[in-house]
Amino acid sequence: MEVIRHDVVLVGGGGAGLRAAIAVAEADPELTVACLSKVYPMRSHTVSAEGGAAAVAREDDSPELHAYDTVRGSDYLADQDAVELFVEEAPIELTRLEHWGCPWSREEDGRIAVRAFGGMSVERTWFAADKTGFHMLHSLFQTSLKYENIVRLDETFVTRLLVEDGRVRGVVALDLRTGSARAVLGRAVVLATGGAGRIFPFTTNAAIKTGDGMALAYRAGVPLKDMEFVQYHPTGLPGTGILITEASRGEGGVLLNANGERYLERYVPNKMELGPRDMLARAAILEFQAERGFKGTYGPYVHLDLTHLGEAKIDERLPFVRELAIHYVGIDPVKEPIPVRPVVHYMMGGIDTDGNGATELPGLYAAGECASVSINGANRLGSNSLSECLVFGARAGRAAAAFAREVDDRNEPAVPEQARDEEGRIEALRGKSGGERIVDLRREMTSAMERGCGVFREEDEARHTLQTVAQLKGRYTDLGLEDRSRVFNTEIVSALELGHMLDVAEAVALAALERKESRGSHTRTDFPARDDENFLKHTLVRFAPQGPKLDDKPVTITRWQPEERKY
Ligand SMILES: Cc1cc2nc3c(=O)[nH]c(=O)nc-3n(C[C@H](O)[C@H](O)[C@H](O)COP(=O)(O)OP(=O)(O)OC[C@H]3O[C@@H](n4cnc5c(N)ncnc54)[C@H](O)[C@@H]3O)c2cc1C
């Protein structure tokens, strides 16, 4: 088995991963960084981000206000020390990105343009038309090419963390081009593997968002935090789940039900279309339940009307929205409203880290959507995530570099054996005989997740989902695979991803069952009120061979005492 050695091993070539890679390379030119990605980096989900990235830019704004909006948006579950770091560093990171080539849209007078986003008190979302993620990722990628000490291993699928003596030692990965396993050893490992929207049937997330890094950390004993908090975006296209960015509402788009009413007056009268996502998603479902939605092939939907914005503004500010609506639902938003419905978009939860991305496992760091720092708490504000990837990607990269410089212990006798075991596990999947099919288990998992862990949740369904996922894990051991080939064996990848998703889904279901209150995106119909006395705490889910174990940890409150969340 091929063994490669670097100082820092970075898993993920999206916004957080590339930012971390550059941070390591800048921190110390002597360190080498291996950047592993299961797809070519430009195919990471960050590329599809549309609306923008939040950071204080104007005189009417301040870090305090950005922090307050974020904390309130999180329903007081965010760690306020992390939020304070975040709002201070976000403008620095976005400015740096411009120096690296990101073409931020500008006002006539030359200042950076900012747009309104949900739950933000003032306009603070920087954007590059409505293709922000595309431009950000290109700028990061180009910059990463400058550094000779960043070594890319594209199309390399990480399947396991190597751990010895309570420290991470590297990873095992499948080289998709050859079908061979490799050990990539390093003194520090940074996970930047993105979210896990694919555990649900209807999502904006790319097919690659299968929670791999979360499952890798979890299996290595690192807890997952606040997994019950799953963000539904209020405006996805029915059928495909393709996102129609919040920027369309930031630019003035309105939501209408089948009676032509701006129904948000009933739910978030002061903020309307710029209310936070959790509230807007619930409002749409309640309209459907009251039979005030339109009826379509893919279930009920509402209208997002942009027609009053006019062609010139739509083409300048929202060209991608127009393109998507024309291509995917045959509707030109200049002339007609777009059909939309709530869709799974983002995981607030993830690998438990501190403000430097450090996990409980020495040498292991995490950043971006796979991590929970946590600045998002129970509900993320749109446009905070791209900035989060930069701020905490950079911090995790610097911390990993410092760790790698300090430890130089190559005494790792058990590592080769662990790596060979893992190689054996992967090989056993090739053409494995068994009675279960990936597609069936996957479909049963996603529909169970929607039933028990959707926008509205209650005890019996959540428990049923948890039991279903546990049973699916049992059936997973009897998986049958047909493809014996070595080169780009996507069936093996799907099997490995399904294994990761089942772990993540189980953590979500357990956390959703046990949080007996409603907070942010987590709405329990049987416990409709927020309960600070018993639940102002982070949920932790820990791996145990007999099934996941629940734990918790306090929320850090610095300046903003919890109060009722009203908009
Ligand atoms: C359609 C859409 C639009 C969005 N728009 C916005 C927006 O406007 N503003 C905003 O703030 N946020 C937005 N978000 C959220 C935001 O884009 C994401 O949270 C963020 O980009 C995640 O970045 P990341 O670096 O953490 O992960 P990703 O960009 O998802 O990258 C993950 C990386 O990890 C690699 N990887 C994963 N598993 C493995 C493995 N097993 N082995 C090797 N490599 C692996 C992948 O190859 C990839 O390179 C949007 C999300 C979506 C889905």
Side-chain angles (χ1 to χ4, degrees):
M1 179 178 186
E2 189 185 3
V3 178
I4 306 171
R5 205 180 270 278
H6 288 278
D7 298 305
V8 178
V9 177
L10 214 148
V11 188
L18 291 178
R19 182 64 191 91
I22 296 167
V24 178
E26 284 189 330
D28 187 343
E30 300 289 309
L31 294 176
T32 66
V33 200
C35 181
L36 283 63
S37 174
K38 67 178 174 178
V39 295
Y40 186 71
M42 286 310 306
R43 292 181 172 271
S44 305
H45 189 71
T46 298
V47 82
S48 59
E50 301 170 22
V56 172
R58 292 286 158 78
E59 304 70 40
D60 65 347
D61 201 1
S62 66
E64 292 70 35
L65 190 56
H66 189 187
Y68 171 68
D69 287 345
T70 302
V71 169
R72 182 163 70 139
S74 81
D75 219 346
Y76 295 90
L77 200 72
D79 284 320
Q80 298 181 8
D81 51 348
V83 174
E84 288 180 272
L85 280 176
F86 167 68
V87 296
E88 288 293 342
E89 291 178 21
I92 302 170
E93 284 292 332
L94 294 190
T95 307
R96 180 173 291 146
L97 206 63
E98 169 158 276
H99 299 164
W100 289 346
C102 187
W104 297 120
S105 293
R106 289 185 176 275
E107 304 290 0
E108 294 274 304
D109 64 7
R111 289 180 306 165
I112 297 280
V114 279
R115 63 167 43 130
F117 244 69
M120 303 279 190
S121 307
V122 297
E123 296 183 351
R124 65 163 73 94
T125 297
W126 306 31
F127 56 95
D130 57 357
K131 301 183 182 179
T132 309
F134 173 90
H135 290 296
M136 286 179 66
L137 199 60
H138 272 84
S139 309
L140 288 166
F141 184 65
Q142 287 166 189
T143 304
S144 76
L145 298 177
K146 285 199 313 202
Y147 297 96
E148 279 176 12
N149 51 338
I150 300 177
V151 179
R152 281 207 343 265
L153 299 172
D154 297 340
E155 299 179 320
T156 302
F157 187 104
V158 176
T159 65
R160 177 170 172 169
L161 296 176
L162 296 166
V163 180
E164 187 166 346
D165 274 346
R167 232 182 63 208
V168 73
R169 308 292 178 137
V171 303
V172 176
L174 176 64
D175 177 350
L176 300 176
R177 277 167 285 200
T178 61
S180 303
R182 296 162 145 178
V184 187
L185 306 183
R187 298 202 291 279
V189 173
V190 184
L191 294 171
T193 49
R198 286 279 156 174
I199 60 173
F200 287 86
F202 186 63
T203 174
T204 62
N205 283 195
I208 56 172
K209 297 198 74 169
T210 51
D212 299 355
M214 296 179 189
L216 295 175
Y218 175 65
R219 290 171 185 179
V222 176
L224 299 179
K225 182 163 79 194
D226 295 339
M227 294 301 284
E228 61 273 43
F229 299 105
V230 176
Q231 177 161 81
Y232 277 74
H233 195 293
T235 61
L237 293 180
T240 56
I242 289 172
L243 178 78
I244 298 299
T245 171
E246 188 160 317
S248 52
R249 283 171 282 127
E251 297 294 345
V254 296
L255 287 166
L256 304 170
N257 65 14
N259 304 335
E261 297 166 314
R262 283 182 71 185
Y263 59 89
L264 291 173
E265 269 169 19
R266 271 191 280 280
Y267 308 95
V268 265
N270 296 326
K271 281 288 208 178
M272 296 297 287
E273 280 77 8
L274 292 174
R277 291 177 177 175
D278 54 343
M279 293 184 177
L280 264 56
R282 281 194 290 275
I285 304 286
L286 291 172
E287 289 297 295
F288 299 159
Q289 287 173 357
E291 301 287 339
R292 289 191 292 264
F294 296 91
K295 293 194 178 25
T297 323
Y298 302 104
Y301 62 86
V302 289
H303 271 161
L304 172 63
D305 190 2
L306 309 181
T307 52
H308 54 287
L309 301 183
E311 186 164 12
K313 184 160 182 186
I314 291 176
D315 282 349
E316 187 209 328
R317 294 290 177 100
L318 303 165
F320 195 40
V321 165
R322 189 172 186 192
E323 216 173 294
L324 289 171
I326 290 174
H327 290 312
Y328 290 94
V329 284
I331 277 174
D332 183 351
V334 170
K335 301 185 186 118
E336 280 176 90
I338 312 171
V340 291
R341 55 162 279 197
V343 50
V344 168
H345 185 55
Y346 183 87
M347 305 291 291
M348 267 71 75
I351 302 162
D352 177 29
T353 74
D354 68 11
N356 290 320
T359 70
E360 275 182 13
L361 179 64
L364 183 69
Y365 298 80
E369 193 173 339
C370 74
S372 175
V373 174
S374 131
I375 65 159
N376 301 310
N379 175 63
R380 171 180 75 100
L381 294 187
S383 74
N384 265 353
S385 171
L386 289 173
S387 312
E388 175 183 1
C389 285
L390 298 176
V391 168
F392 293 100
R395 294 183 74 88
R398 289 193 290 266
F403 187 90
R405 264 197 309 258
E406 265 160 40
V407 282
D408 194 13
D409 171 15
R410 294 221 174 144
N411 181 20
E412 45 198 16
V415 160
E417 192 189 324
Q418 279 180 32
R420 272 194 305 276
D421 277 358
E422 185 60 8
E423 183 179 30
R425 186 178 77 97
I426 299 169
E427 273 314 307
L429 284 172
R430 201 177 302 281
K432 177 180 182 310
S433 63
E436 297 286 357
R437 280 157 46 90
I438 296 171
V439 57
D440 295 332
L441 300 192
R442 198 168 164 150
R443 197 180 296 126
E444 286 180 48
M445 170 190 68
T446 57
S447 58
M449 290 307 287
E450 185 166 60
R451 262 200 327 275
C453 301
V455 173
F456 291 101
R457 302 156 171 195
E458 55 80 40
E459 185 89 12
D460 291 344
E461 285 287 8
R463 188 180 306 284
H464 187 244
T465 296
L466 181 62
Q467 287 162 351
T468 305
V469 177
Q471 282 160 6
L472 292 172
K473 285 177 81 171
R475 287 167 57 193
Y476 180 81
T477 55
D478 185 34
L479 215 53
L481 278 75
E482 284 157 28
D483 188 354
R484 307 192 134 271
S485 63
R486 298 200 71 81
V487 178
F488 283 106
N489 187 323
T490 52
E491 196 186 24
I492 290 186
V493 171
S494 299
L496 292 164
E497 287 178 337
L498 176 62
H500 295 155
M501 286 193 287
L502 286 168
D503 277 355
V504 173
E506 194 175 34
V508 173
L510 176 63
L513 175 65
E514 295 302 334
R515 185 175 282 275
K516 297 181 197 307
E517 64 156 356
S518 291
R519 181 187 299 270
S521 68
H522 174 71
T523 310
R524 287 281 300 249
T525 50
D526 44 355
F527 297 97
R530 196 175 84 193
D531 175 0
D532 285 341
E533 202 174 312
N534 296 303
F535 288 101
L536 182 57
K537 60 185 182 186
H538 296 295
T539 308
L540 297 182
V541 180
R542 292 179 184 276
F543 177 84
Q546 61 283 19
K549 282 233 164 339
L550 210 67
D551 196 354
D552 57 58
K553 91 187 230 191
V555 174
T556 307
I557 293 176
T558 56
R559 295 160 69 180
W560 298 278
Q561 289 306 316
E563 50 188 45
E564 194 191 344
R565 185 165 163 252
K566 277 206 290 236
Y567 287 94

